[in-house]
Amino acid sequence: MLIHRAAMEDHENLTLAPYGIRSSASQGRLHPEPEAQDRTCFQRDRARVLHTTAFRRLEYKTQVFVNSEGDYYRTRLTHTLEVAQLGRSMARSLGANEDLVEAICLAHDLGHPPFGHAGERVLQRLMAAHGNFDHNRQTLRIVTTLEERYENFRGLNLTWEMREGLVKHETEYDQADAGEYNPELRASLEAQIANVADELAYTAHDLDDGLRAGLLQPAALSGQALWEKVRAAIRWDGRELTDLNRHRMIRRLIGVQIQDLVETTEGALLRSGASSPLHIQQLSTNVVDWSAPMQAMQTELKSHLREELFQHHRVARMAEKAARFIAEMFEVFTKSPNQLPGELSSAIAQHGLERAVCDYIAGMTDRFALEEYARLFDPHTRP
């Protein structure tokens, strides 16, 4: 039996909460297209993201540890998939549109440059006089301009709701700049879910990777409220952190935070009386959030991660090397653009030299950036 788009849209009308965004009510795309008959517009958005070059490159972009550090650590791709899974789970519980949440989650990190936050910081400095750089804007730039896959338009021609969700991506480390996407309105319920899914994933999984690498010590976490809450929940005595115990701890850490968030958000939704997606965006505060006690425990844990993981000499050295690599490549390419690949000439003419160089570097994987650096500076490497 074939299930056509109309039936899927009818199913959304029956199953979504009143404040969940219906695909049938989408504000549409920048460039008019006939919609597919076998999937909703948000399902189509999701598929378009998955098929991009930028999405495939996430496999070799850093989360915390450079890809060459080992096969077990998270990359931007594995992080993105974990965010999408968490987002769908929370969306289902809260009556939001799962397909839209998943699509936003899958695209939210497309604009990240190589070498994680270190790469972003150096590009921000280098582009300060040339329109600046941040990965949220770069994500929107990728899906509206840089990806070339269709005959009649540049980018992916995603729906308004998808683009707005990307523009309003906001976490502790990311600040939204809504620009032309109704800046007076806050993020939709679906975008808010994607934001907290990202925050939850990187905290839990940075902790997991830090413990696995030996950069974080269980003894140093003893006494932290959230760590102790999770340890007690799985009845671990806190002595030997085996791989199995670490998996149990991280799994339960995610579980208790999701439970708290869903319960807290349900209460906020009921108190708001929200009856439509627009109503959610007109509220004075976000509805998707954790309870105050959970936020306090999360803050304590994040502070520990900043001090013990991100300031660890191994991570700091990688960050400093990354900053040097990117800065030196940027300088060479802007001073001697004839060293850029020939296919970038049209991008330079259209966007300017500095922006074209920034786009080129931001699109690199960690591995390609290291190889390109060697081609530029190592006399023993072939150009």
Side-chain angles (χ1 to χ4, degrees):
M1 177 182 69
L2 287 176
I3 301 177
H4 295 286
R5 188 186 77 247
M8 297 178 193
E9 292 172 348
D10 288 342
H11 182 71
E12 287 181 352
N13 291 331
L14 291 172
T15 58
L16 296 185
Y19 41 74
I21 296 178
R22 273 73 173 157
S23 56
S24 59
S26 171
Q27 296 183 49
R29 305 180 186 277
L30 278 173
H31 308 281
E33 287 185 79
E35 285 298 336
Q37 292 305 304
D38 60 342
R39 53 188 169 173
T40 69
C41 59
F42 300 144
Q43 291 170 351
R44 196 179 200 184
D45 284 348
R46 177 183 61 198
R48 288 185 170 183
V49 169
L50 285 170
H51 289 288
T52 60
T53 300
F55 185 81
R56 291 194 297 274
R57 286 175 177 166
L58 294 177
E59 181 178 5
Y60 294 106
K61 289 195 176 188
T62 293
Q63 185 67 13
V64 173
F65 297 96
V66 175
N67 190 264
S68 58
E69 287 282 306
D71 295 337
Y72 298 105
Y73 303 121
R74 268 112 182 149
T75 65
R76 286 284 165 198
L77 179 60
T78 57
H79 164 74
T80 294
L81 295 175
E82 289 165 342
V83 172
Q85 184 272 321
L86 294 173
R88 282 200 78 109
S89 178
M90 290 185 281
R92 190 177 302 118
S93 296
L94 293 169
N97 192 306
E98 292 181 47
D99 293 325
L100 178 56
V101 170
E102 184 179 25
I104 295 171
C105 290
L106 289 172
H108 83 281
D109 265 356
L110 293 181
H112 258 293
F115 308 121
H117 291 293
E120 180 161 16
R121 285 192 296 269
V122 71
L123 282 179
Q124 286 172 339
R125 175 174 62 79
L126 295 168
M127 291 297 293
H130 308 287
N132 217 326
F133 176 87
D134 74 67
H135 77 267
N136 282 346
R137 289 183 184 179
Q138 191 69 7
T139 294
L140 186 66
R141 185 168 169 76
I142 286 168
V143 301
T144 58
T145 303
L146 297 181
E147 284 281 340
E148 296 185 64
R149 313 186 72 81
Y150 302 95
E151 294 178 348
N152 300 322
F153 51 80
R154 295 180 68 89
L156 306 182
N157 200 27
L158 302 176
T159 59
W160 163 274
E161 293 76 16
M162 175 72 174
R163 286 179 280 120
E164 184 192 31
L166 294 175
V167 167
K168 295 180 179 178
H169 177 63
E170 196 167 48
T171 67
E172 181 181 2
Y173 300 103
D174 305 313
Q175 297 302 310
D177 179 6
E180 300 175 357
Y181 291 84
N182 293 338
E184 74 282 2
L185 298 177
R186 62 184 55 259
S188 65
L189 177 68
E190 284 75 8
Q192 290 182 40
I193 292 171
N195 291 346
V196 297
D198 181 27
E199 191 168 346
L200 194 162
Y202 67 63
T203 300
H205 299 143
D206 287 351
L207 175 62
D208 190 18
D209 283 351
L211 289 167
R212 180 193 287 270
L215 275 59
L216 295 175
Q217 300 302 322
L221 290 159
S222 179
Q224 291 218 0
L226 188 52
W227 178 266
E228 293 297 339
K229 179 182 179 71
V230 174
R231 186 188 63 77
I234 69 167
R235 299 179 181 177
W236 173 48
D237 60 14
R239 295 178 183 175
E240 182 184 5
L241 187 64
T242 63
D243 284 347
L244 181 58
N245 284 334
R246 191 185 75 254
H247 292 318
R248 293 173 65 212
M249 285 288 288
I250 298 302
R251 187 164 61 248
R252 189 61 184 147
L253 177 73
I254 293 170
V256 298
Q257 290 180 89
I258 289 180
Q259 182 178 359
D260 179 273
L261 182 131
V262 169
E263 292 175 354
T264 303
T265 301
E266 181 186 25
L269 287 166
L270 290 172
R271 289 190 299 273
S272 74
S275 57
S276 70
L278 179 60
H279 193 169
I280 293 286
Q281 296 189 266
Q282 292 172 330
L283 295 173
S284 58
T285 59
N286 286 348
V287 292
V288 182
D289 210 345
W290 287 278
S291 66
M294 180 59 72
Q295 289 182 45
M297 290 189 286
Q298 290 171 327
T299 298
E300 182 184 36
L301 178 59
K302 290 174 184 176
S303 295
H304 185 82
L305 289 175
R306 277 193 294 268
E307 294 168 10
E308 302 298 327
L309 178 60
F310 302 126
Q311 298 303 318
H312 193 281
H313 73 273
R314 277 177 57 191
V315 176
R317 285 177 181 176
M318 285 188 287
E320 288 299 319
K321 284 193 288 186
R324 286 197 299 273
F325 292 159
I326 290 177
E328 290 176 22
M329 284 194 293
F330 187 90
E331 182 180 11
V332 166
F333 288 140
T334 52
K335 288 185 176 179
S336 181
N338 62 314
Q339 296 198 58
L340 286 164
E343 60 266 23
L344 291 182
S345 57
S346 61
I348 294 171
Q350 185 174 3
H351 306 299
L353 176 60
E354 288 80 10
R355 181 57 63 185
V357 170
C358 179
D359 287 340
Y360 179 53
I361 292 176
M364 293 179 180
T365 63
D366 295 8
R367 182 173 61 181
F368 184 84
L370 293 173
E371 292 171 351
E372 188 75 331
Y373 184 86
R375 285 189 286 267
L376 289 171
F377 298 104
D378 183 354
H380 301 292
T381 300
R382 294 181 64 182

